[in-house]
């Protein structure tokens, strides 16, 4: 079972339709891949995905487990817009080493390598993606990204996944308020982990819940923390967790 589904959007209203919905600016397609998200009206995460221009159409690269719900949500918003959403026979290939000429760089971080779409089977070059994600605190849907996530707490600004100048989109008001009117009190951080514990283990400090530990690799992990409670020594199951110096 492929981990990603590649959809194709076509029709004269495709780019304007997406522009009114997504967190990033569709004009970025002129420069390569666009990493973006669709939010609820309350500003919470629904799905993150990549967009790529495909002649006068747009390819959408989304996690397989999110694809059906995303198609339903886009169809609900489509109304009378001239937009067709359909599957493709394309698959994702990605890597960090030698690449085909048709690849495009992953816009989240230079170390995340390249992405390519072709009828060839889905695959990669053996890169340890979890280690890369932990190194740069890059969340993954279904792990760090959940229906309770806010994209700014999840680092989307650093990952080039949100544009604050593009105008309105679904969930924009809440996202803009978090950016301009509040100081983030919670969010994802890279932490040092001694030992190991299952993904999703609660982190505590001084007997109080602090957050949750997610992906772990190479003695580090991605944690969602309450910053006012995070301390130098925290516990997650049998593992000891601390903030990086």
């Amino acid at each position: 079972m492929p981990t990603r589904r590649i959809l194709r959007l076509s029709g004269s209203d495709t780019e304007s339709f997406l522009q009114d919905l997504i967190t990033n600016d569709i004009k970025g397609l002129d420069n390569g891949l666009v990493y973006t998200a669709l939010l609820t009206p309350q500003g919470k995460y629904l799905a993150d995905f990549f967009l790529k221009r495909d002649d006068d159409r747009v390819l959408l690269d989304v996690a397989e487990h999110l694809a059906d719900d995303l198609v339903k949500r886009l169809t609900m918003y489509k109304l009378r817009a001239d937009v067709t959403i359909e599957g493709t026979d394309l698959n994702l290939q990605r890597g960090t080493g030698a690449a085909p000429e048709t690849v495009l760089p992953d816009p989240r971080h230079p170390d995340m390598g390249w992405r390519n779409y072709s009828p060839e089977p889905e695959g990669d070059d053996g890169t340890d993606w979890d280690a890369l994600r932990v190194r740069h605190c890059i969340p993954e849907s279904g792990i760090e990204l959940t229906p309770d996530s806010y994209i700014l707490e999840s680092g989307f600004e650093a990952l080039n996944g949100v544009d604050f100048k593009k105008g309105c989109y679904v969930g924009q008001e809440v996202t803009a308020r978090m950016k301009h009117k509040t100081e983030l009190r919670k969010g994802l951080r890279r932490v040092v982990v001694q030992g190991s514990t299952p993904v999703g283990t609660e982190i505590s400090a001084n007997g109080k819940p602090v957050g949750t530990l997610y992906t772990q690799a190479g003695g580090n992990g991605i944690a969602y923390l309450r910053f006012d409670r995070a301390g130098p020594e925290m516990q997650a199951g049998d593992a000891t967790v601390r903030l990086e110096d």
Side-chain angles (χ1 to χ4, degrees):
M1 174 72 72
T3 63
R4 309 289 295 185
R5 189 184 303 181
I6 314 304
L7 303 170
R8 179 177 284 115
L9 281 70
S10 60
S12 61
D13 295 329
T14 295
E15 293 195 14
S16 60
F17 166 71
L18 289 169
Q19 183 76 335
D20 289 341
L21 297 178
I22 62 174
T23 60
N24 216 336
D25 195 330
I26 199 72
K27 295 176 183 177
L29 290 174
D30 294 337
N31 302 315
L33 292 178
V34 170
Y35 178 60
T36 189
L38 181 68
L39 309 180
T40 69
Q42 295 75 35
K44 290 192 174 184
Y45 169 88
L46 281 173
D48 63 317
F49 43 89
F50 298 86
L51 298 173
K52 176 186 182 293
R53 182 164 284 139
D54 180 39
D55 295 326
D56 59 348
R57 302 162 297 184
V58 174
L59 296 180
L60 190 156
D61 162 9
V62 64
E64 176 63 37
H65 70 273
L66 297 174
D68 287 343
D69 286 342
L70 178 60
V71 170
K72 290 178 183 177
R73 182 71 60 145
L74 293 176
T75 301
M76 178 186 74
Y77 282 125
K78 188 166 71 73
L79 299 176
R80 297 182 180 178
D82 179 20
V83 179
T84 299
I85 305 166
E86 57 189 350
T88 72
D89 64 353
L90 301 176
N91 295 301
L92 170 69
Q93 295 86 39
R94 61 176 180 164
T96 55
E101 293 181 359
T102 54
V103 307
L104 289 171
D106 188 317
R108 295 174 296 177
H109 192 281
D111 287 354
M112 291 299 288
W114 49 265
R115 302 174 83 86
N116 187 51
Y117 306 98
S118 81
E120 296 298 317
E122 181 174 288
D124 61 33
D125 61 358
T127 294
D128 187 339
W129 298 106
D130 278 349
L132 276 180
R133 291 198 305 104
V134 168
R135 185 181 307 163
H136 301 294
C137 202
I138 297 175
E140 181 75 21
S141 59
I143 305 176
E144 292 86 11
L145 292 172
T146 75
D148 290 324
S149 298
Y150 291 100
I151 60 169
L152 296 193
E153 293 182 347
S154 301
F156 268 59
E157 187 171 7
L159 300 177
N160 303 308
V162 59
D163 188 298
F164 293 102
K165 298 179 180 178
K166 60 156 286 185
C168 293
Y169 55 88
V170 178
Q172 182 265 344
E173 183 176 350
V174 174
T175 306
R177 188 184 310 125
M178 293 181 73
K179 166 68 174 175
H180 298 294
K181 296 185 178 180
T182 63
E183 181 178 352
L184 292 180
R185 300 178 181 179
K186 304 176 184 177
L188 295 179
R189 289 292 183 272
R190 193 172 84 151
V191 293
V192 177
V193 182
Q194 292 181 308
S196 63
T197 194
V199 169
T201 298
E202 181 181 87
I203 301 172
S204 61
N206 300 317
K208 295 182 179 180
V210 175
T212 306
L213 182 61
Y214 292 108
T215 306
Q216 301 148 61
N220 292 100
I222 299 176
Y224 180 76
L225 298 173
R226 280 188 54 168
F227 303 138
D228 62 335
R229 291 187 178 180
E233 291 290 334
M234 299 173 283
Q235 200 71 26
D238 295 329
T240 299
V241 178
R242 63 177 175 83
L243 293 171
E244 288 193 306
D245 297 332

